[in-house]
Amino acid sequence: MSIVVVTIFYSWFKRNYGKHLINLVSTVAYSLVYPPQEWIENAIAMTTQAWDKLGEDNPSLVQKEFDFYVFGHSLGGLLALSWPAFVDPQTQGKFIPQQILTADPAPSTEMGIPQIAICILKLVGSPFAKTPINICDTGSKLNVPVAIMHGADDTLVKPESWVNRSWYQKQSNFDCIASKEKQIYFSLSNKDKNPPLIAFHNQAVTDTTYFDDALFDIFGGVKKGPNAYNRQYIWPGVNLVVTNEVRADELFYKFPLKDIQVTETLPPKPNHLPKILIGILTVVGLGLVYWWFAHSGHVLSFS
């Protein structure tokens, strides 16, 4: 029903926008039919099947040893970090990762979904909402070197969600990762460049033009092609690790940075609370002055 409503609504003023939105809504709706555990179990099963097929076509590969790595972006980053918790050492031992790298990963499959929507999904018995994946549940199985490459200005999966502890948590999401060989990196925006370089959620993505810009701007940021975040940060980091040049948690001085900066400590955000409070107090004060004049018989005149 929701898909029909969205289709009619957006076809009135921007057919292309509506078409892409329908694709996204359809994909999300389809994913709600399955629990997140099944997503990752299917990913592991497909990897196993692909290797078996490759072995059938190339028998010499079957006996060879190889290093296995896992990389993921956004929700895929959470699945990458949760991979060791779901891979079976007995039957899928070759797919136990040597190291894991992620870009702007979500700490939970519920990240970015309004709480009211989660409550509704649970009430209707959605498999997605019944058994979410959380890094604080799967992180205890994560005992390999880990790199999280985040963007300091990511508004979809805010970097604070990894390093700041929520009131209901005993430790931060990053601290839930059991590995002692872990590091989180934060790329910074460079607004002096033309066009500006913004460390948003889609910094690992090379191109978003297959979706409408107005739509994809809501989903993490628009990219017209690879930029410094691809060439100097995300993909060089992955390459350095898989070629055994450096361990995932020791990448900091190895990124070939020229146009952007990377830090291991999240820069503090400007505190706008005082300005907001001053604005509220000003409005309240003006309201009280107006009320006093209106009820005291005085005439307030502006010219």
Side-chain angles (χ1 to χ4, degrees):
M1 181 61 185
S2 62
I3 294 176
V4 174
V5 172
V6 171
T7 302
I8 296 172
F9 181 74
Y10 280 103
S11 63
W12 285 349
F13 63 91
K14 198 166 186 180
R15 187 177 301 275
N16 190 49
Y17 190 101
K19 180 186 69 174
H20 291 312
L21 186 58
I22 296 309
N23 290 337
L24 283 180
V25 171
S26 301
T27 301
V28 171
Y30 184 72
S31 68
L32 299 179
V33 180
Y34 302 95
Q37 286 88 337
E38 194 166 328
W39 304 349
I40 190 169
E41 287 169 357
N42 285 340
I44 295 172
M46 291 176 66
T47 302
T48 304
Q49 293 168 9
W51 176 256
D52 291 342
K53 176 60 178 175
L54 190 62
E56 291 177 6
D57 298 336
N58 303 273
S60 61
L61 291 177
V62 177
Q63 304 302 323
K64 290 186 176 181
E65 296 291 329
F66 63 89
D67 292 337
F68 184 76
Y69 302 85
V70 183
F71 172 81
H73 167 251
S74 192
L75 185 57
L78 173 62
L79 299 186
L81 293 169
S82 302
W83 188 279
F86 291 90
V87 69
D88 186 347
Q90 302 299 320
T91 60
Q92 300 162 327
K94 63 172 65 68
F95 301 121
I96 295 176
Q98 299 289 113
Q99 303 189 57
I100 295 176
L101 300 101
T102 62
D104 300 82
S108 166
T109 50
E110 295 180 343
M111 170 65 69
I113 302 176
Q115 193 58 44
I116 184 63
I118 294 295
C119 292
I120 293 172
L121 290 171
K122 289 182 178 179
L123 284 174
V124 300
S126 168
F128 167 83
K130 279 185 176 180
T131 52
I133 292 179
N134 295 287
I135 190 61
C136 284
D137 295 329
T138 61
S140 60
K141 301 293 185 181
L142 192 46
N143 292 301
V144 298
V146 172
I148 295 177
M149 295 176 281
H150 217 102
D153 291 319
D154 185 342
T155 57
L156 200 61
V157 178
K158 295 182 179 180
E160 293 86 355
S161 66
W162 277 100
V163 296
N164 294 346
R165 182 177 64 86
S166 300
W167 62 268
Y168 56 84
Q169 290 180 301
K170 293 183 179 179
Q171 56 185 353
S172 70
N173 287 312
F174 186 67
D175 290 332
C176 288
I177 296 174
S179 176
K180 301 299 182 183
E181 299 170 338
K182 61 183 178 182
Q183 186 57 257
I184 184 166
Y185 309 99
F186 302 101
S187 59
L188 306 181
S189 296
N190 185 350
K191 297 180 180 179
D192 293 331
K193 296 292 290 185
N194 188 20
L197 293 168
I198 309 299
F200 50 45
H201 183 71
N202 291 326
Q203 59 180 344
V205 181
T206 57
D207 194 339
T208 63
T209 54
Y210 39 87
F211 283 116
D212 186 270
D213 286 357
L215 172 63
F216 222 75
D217 191 52
I218 301 172
F219 288 92
V222 175
K223 292 284 287 289
K224 300 296 185 182
N227 62 14
Y229 295 106
N230 305 116
R231 298 187 181 101
Q232 301 172 26
Y233 182 43
I234 304 293
W235 302 118
V238 173
N239 184 66
L240 286 165
V241 171
V242 300
T243 55
N244 293 317
E245 293 184 51
V246 66
R247 208 171 61 197
D249 58 313
E250 298 175 343
L251 276 167
F252 185 63
Y253 293 105
K254 299 295 183 178
F255 294 115
L257 305 176
K258 293 181 180 178
D259 302 302
I260 59 172
Q261 289 181 295
V262 173
T263 176
E264 293 176 297
T265 305
L266 184 63
K269 298 288 185 180
N271 186 6
H272 298 294
L273 184 59
K275 294 181 179 179
I276 294 173
L277 291 176
I278 291 172
I280 293 174
L281 291 174
T282 300
V283 172
V284 171
L286 291 173
L288 290 173
V289 170
Y290 177 83
W291 179 88
W292 183 80
F293 274 99
H295 290 81
S296 63
H298 294 282
V299 177
L300 189 62
S301 175
F302 297 95
S303 58

